[in-house]
Every structure is written in C-alpha cells, then in structure tokens.
Amino acid sequence: MKSKQIGALLLLLVFVITGCIRTEPGKIITGQTVSSNHATFVASTHSVGKAGEQPLSSSSSVQAPVSLSFGQIKGDIRNIYYADENKAFLSADQLVLVDLQTGRAIAETAGMDFDQQLMWTTKRGYVAVGVKITTGNNSGGGLTTGGEVAFSAVFYDQMLKQLTTFDFSPLLKKNEHISFLKAIAISSDGTQAAYATNNGLYLYNFNTKKKTTVIDLQAKDIAKRSGIVTFEQIGFTNKDKSLAFKAQSLEIPVAPGKTSFDSCGTVSLNGSGLANLTFDNYTCKELTAYDQRLLLAEDFTIPSGRLLVMGTPGSKKNFLRLTEKGESGFVTGSDKGRYFATTLAEKGKTGWKIRVYDTSTGKLQAEQHLSSGGEARYMANDPIVKVFDDERTYIVLLGARQLDIKPKIVAKRF
C-alpha cells in the first residue's frame, strides 16, 4: 500500500509540473470566449489584441476566413486532441469530434472520468488513455491508505461509439506501478499497448492477451540497458516497429552518489537495437513521436533556442534554430509532424507569442501575439496549441488549465 501512496504522489507531482507546460487547435475566434451553448469560431486575418485595440497582424499570409459551428457544446472547452483526417477532439463536458473542413461536429460521447487523459488515433477508431486518482483525506491533508492510482484505456469506433475498456492494473505485479501517463502508448493499428513501469518497458497485445518484456529494469547488468533506470515517455515509431523514449539514466559504470540524467532514444519491439542518447549542451525533456521522425524539446529551465529533430529509422539528427531562446522548451508537434508550434510569454507577462515552424527546414510559418487583456490568470499556464498539417491551421486554447476562468479559443490558417 505504501507503494501506491508513493505512486499517487509521483503522479500528482507530474500533474503539477505538466500543468505549467503545454500538453499535452485550427481556426480563430477573435477575442471572444467560448460559449457553453453555441460556439462559432471564425478564422481571422488578424491576431487577437486587447479590447478596443487594433489587432497585431500575422507574420505570414492568411487564407480566406472559415467558420466553425460546433452546436450545443456543453461546458467550457478544456482541451483539444488530434484525431484523423483533418479532425479534432474538443474536450468539454462531452468529447466532441469535429471535422475541420466542414466546421461541423460529427460525433460526440460522454466525457471520461479521468483526472488526465491522452487520445490516440488507430486504424480502427480512437483510444482514450487516462488515469484516475482516488485519494482519501487525513489530518495532514495527504493520502490515506485507501489511495489508488488507476490507468485504463477506452476504445471507440470512428463515430465515438464505445467498444470496450481495458484496465492496466492486472498487468502489474505487487509493488509495481506506472508513474507517468506518457509512459503508455497505443500502436497505430490499435492492437498493442506499450507501457513502462518501475520494473521495465513492456508490450501488451490486446488480441492475444500476451505481455512481453522489451527492457527489464530489474536486471542486474545495467550496462545492457545503457544505464536506463526509468522510462518517462514512450511512443511508437518506424511504422510500429520501434519505440521511442525519454528516460532517466545513470553513468556506466555506476558512480556512487551520482544522480540520474535525462536521455532519449529508440529500441526495437523485441528489445534489440537500443540507442540511448545524450547530447552536449542539450537536454531532452519532451518527446513527440511520429513514424519517420521524433521531436525532442529541451529542458525549459536551460533553453538553448534549438529543437532536436531525429529521423527514424536511423539516427539522423538536426538541430533547428528558433526565433527566441526561451521558446525551445515549449514545443507542440502538429498532427502529422510537418510543423510544430511554440509558446512563449511576452515580457512583462502581458500576453503570449505563438509561433509555427516547418519541421524539415525550421522556417517560421506564422506568428501570433495573444494579449492577456490584463487578466493575470491567462498567464498562469501556457496555452494549449494544436497544428493541423493538411489544413495549415493552428488552434490555441488560452486559460483552459485555470478552472476559475473562462477559456478563450483562437484558430487561424497560415
């Protein structure tokens, strides 16, 4: 039971940290808040400014405005996730699937009872992977012995009809736990889950109900796993033939008293071909995995103004130089990986800078300045940004992580 308490505390800490980063997108509503009853989003040729202020122009040309009507969306939109083929999920009281080409909501389902979740697109439909934390109260305000941390997956068809659910708990041994939501990934065909625990990195086949070990973290020979002690983030890559990861590692041979450090890399599903990498003057912190490339954003506390792009398969590496030093720790990849977005607070915390770059060339594609309108709560957490490749559209959700304020949604073509 003590291990469950520790696991829950770790997760709560992770939530606090990630709430200050971006998570975990498409056309723009100019300076308006989202209506809880009927929301219409209009792509503007200008950025959002303060009330009564001439909006700042975008740094790139803008296509014709497009209206998005989402109908009866109940509650505030608190997150946006990628779907397939120019679609996006809006997470409010319901989970709504929106077609960005027609601007219409095409399906919806009840919102999941998760404290935090991610969405995965597969050939068969969609998968919501989330964590639910159940805590008790005591006089010290901490967890009671009844505290539980449960990870599960919900499978949907392409019209959001719920098909089945899966609980990860039966896969765990005594004193084994999953510590990070991003330590779970779903394959593109939807048949496998990769997950990391304090004991190792594993695969589970939903069809055969078979669990296999990719890397054993309990093995005594730490050199065989290149010093890896914890997998924090994972993702399928190379057409589901490999796993990409962000990890914590130790020097080989292990030096007494030395703490672990950030590393990243790839490994084949059978455990072969492990490449655990570190770089001079660059610390990998956030992984975004695609079939043919990986985005590895750096530690935002020591930014260098670069983004590492690594090809898969192979190890071709490219460091892209960004406009400002501070933005390189806050990177969101697009739905297919052709572009990525960054966010950076304006000096004096008067608003946010949103920039969109081409992943292959590093060329700036668009820039937007979003004013906080004098509301400090809009500066408390970084905006959520999503970029859609085929539509050349980005969506910004401002204030969504602050439950005491009305979120704003901004969407624009570039």
Side-chain angles (χ1 to χ4, degrees):
M1 193 60 67
K2 185 176 180 180
S3 63
K4 292 181 180 178
Q5 291 178 275
I6 294 172
L9 285 168
L10 284 172
L11 277 164
L12 287 170
L13 178 61
V14 170
F15 294 160
V16 170
I17 294 173
T18 55
C20 299
I21 317 174
R22 51 256 77 256
T23 343
E24 322 167 6
K27 277 100 207 173
I28 286 196
I29 186 165
T30 55
Q32 300 175 22
T33 56
V34 177
S35 167
S36 61
N37 295 319
H38 185 81
T40 301
F41 303 80
V42 181
S44 167
T45 56
H46 297 283
S47 304
V48 177
K50 294 181 181 179
E53 179 179 87
Q54 180 66 28
L56 296 171
S57 61
S58 171
S59 64
S60 63
S61 60
V62 181
Q63 298 178 11
V66 176
S67 295
L68 299 180
S69 179
F70 298 134
Q72 297 291 319
I73 297 179
K74 297 179 181 178
D76 294 325
I77 297 173
R78 291 294 174 183
N79 215 329
I80 304 175
Y81 306 98
Y82 294 128
D84 58 332
E85 298 303 323
N86 306 311
K87 300 184 187 73
F89 289 107
L90 302 179
S91 179
D93 289 351
Q94 306 105 337
L95 185 65
V96 183
L97 181 63
V98 176
D99 188 319
L100 296 178
Q101 291 183 323
T102 66
R104 298 291 175 180
I106 57 178
E108 67 177 48
T109 189
M112 297 307 302
D113 187 25
F114 289 135
D115 290 297
Q116 192 180 51
Q117 73 176 45
L118 296 173
M119 293 297 300
W120 300 87
T121 297
T122 73
K123 294 178 180 179
R124 303 178 182 183
Y126 309 103
V127 185
V129 178
V131 58
K132 181 65 178 178
I133 303 174
T134 304
T135 63
N137 295 319
N138 59 27
S139 58
L143 298 179
T144 66
T145 56
E148 296 283 347
V149 180
F151 291 86
S152 59
V154 183
F155 290 77
Y156 301 94
D157 68 11
Q158 294 180 336
M159 293 304 294
L160 289 185
K161 177 183 177 182
Q162 186 172 321
L163 301 175
T164 186
T165 61
F166 179 80
D167 180 9
F168 284 90
S169 299
L171 301 180
L172 307 179
K173 298 178 181 178
K174 185 179 180 180
N175 297 324
E176 183 179 19
H177 57 265
I178 300 171
S179 296
F180 308 94
L181 180 57
K182 290 183 178 181
I184 299 175
I186 305 295
S187 63
S188 62
D189 63 7
T191 64
Q192 295 188 93
Y195 66 100
T197 74
N198 55 309
N199 287 350
L201 177 62
Y202 305 96
L203 288 174
Y204 181 80
N205 189 299
F206 295 111
N207 293 334
T208 64
K209 296 178 173 52
K210 182 180 179 181
K211 170 185 171 181
T212 57
T213 301
V214 180
I215 295 179
D216 183 5
L217 293 179
Q218 301 299 303
K220 292 183 178 180
D221 190 353
I222 192 173
K224 284 188 176 181
R225 59 178 186 271
S226 299
I228 297 173
V229 292
T230 303
F231 290 97
E232 297 176 332
Q233 303 165 32
I234 58 174
F236 283 89
T237 186
N238 188 23
K239 300 186 184 301
D240 288 351
K241 296 176 184 176
S242 305
L243 289 172
F245 61 82
K246 190 273 173 187
Q248 288 290 314
S249 299
L250 294 173
E251 295 283 358
I252 302 298
V254 177
K258 287 285 187 178
T259 59
S260 64
F261 52 84
D262 296 286
S263 63
C264 57
T266 58
V267 62
S268 297
L269 297 191
N270 62 6
S272 66
L274 173 62
N276 188 30
L277 309 172
T278 58
F279 305 90
D280 292 337
N281 302 317
Y282 194 92
T283 303
C284 299
K285 275 293 185 183
E286 284 292 324
L287 165 70
T288 305
Y290 302 95
D291 267 346
Q292 297 181 347
R293 63 174 45 142
L294 309 176
L295 305 186
L296 292 154
E298 64 180 338
D299 188 341
F300 70 92
T301 66
I302 48 172
S304 68
R306 297 175 295 163
L307 172 67
L308 172 59
V309 181
M310 189 162 66
T312 61
S315 57
K316 182 179 179 181
K317 305 172 194 65
N318 188 19
F319 285 92
L320 302 179
R321 178 67 63 179
L322 307 183
T323 304
E324 292 185 71
K325 199 173 183 179
E327 65 187 296
S328 59
F330 303 117
V331 176
T332 300
S334 64
D335 59 344
K336 297 179 181 178
R338 195 180 309 157
Y339 305 103
F340 65 90
T342 67
T343 62
L344 187 65
E346 299 271 15
K347 290 183 179 179
K349 295 194 178 296
T350 58
W352 294 96
K353 302 174 188 176
I354 313 296
R355 294 189 176 103
V356 179
Y357 296 87
D358 184 289
T359 306
S360 297
T361 66
K363 183 178 179 181
L364 181 65
Q365 302 294 301
E367 181 172 328
Q368 173 115 15
H369 297 259
L370 301 179
S371 172
S372 66
E375 174 53 78
R377 289 177 294 178
Y378 284 128
M379 303 304 299
N381 299 98
D382 285 84
I384 296 170
V385 184
K386 292 289 184 279
V387 184
F388 298 86
D389 288 354
D390 293 343
E391 291 294 298
R392 283 184 60 90
T393 298
Y394 62 89
I395 298 177
V396 183
L397 190 57
L398 185 63
R401 296 187 178 98
Q402 292 290 107
L403 298 182
D404 60 342
I405 191 172
K406 195 80 169 175
K408 292 183 179 181
I409 190 165
V410 175
K412 196 170 189 178
R413 293 187 186 277
F414 61 92

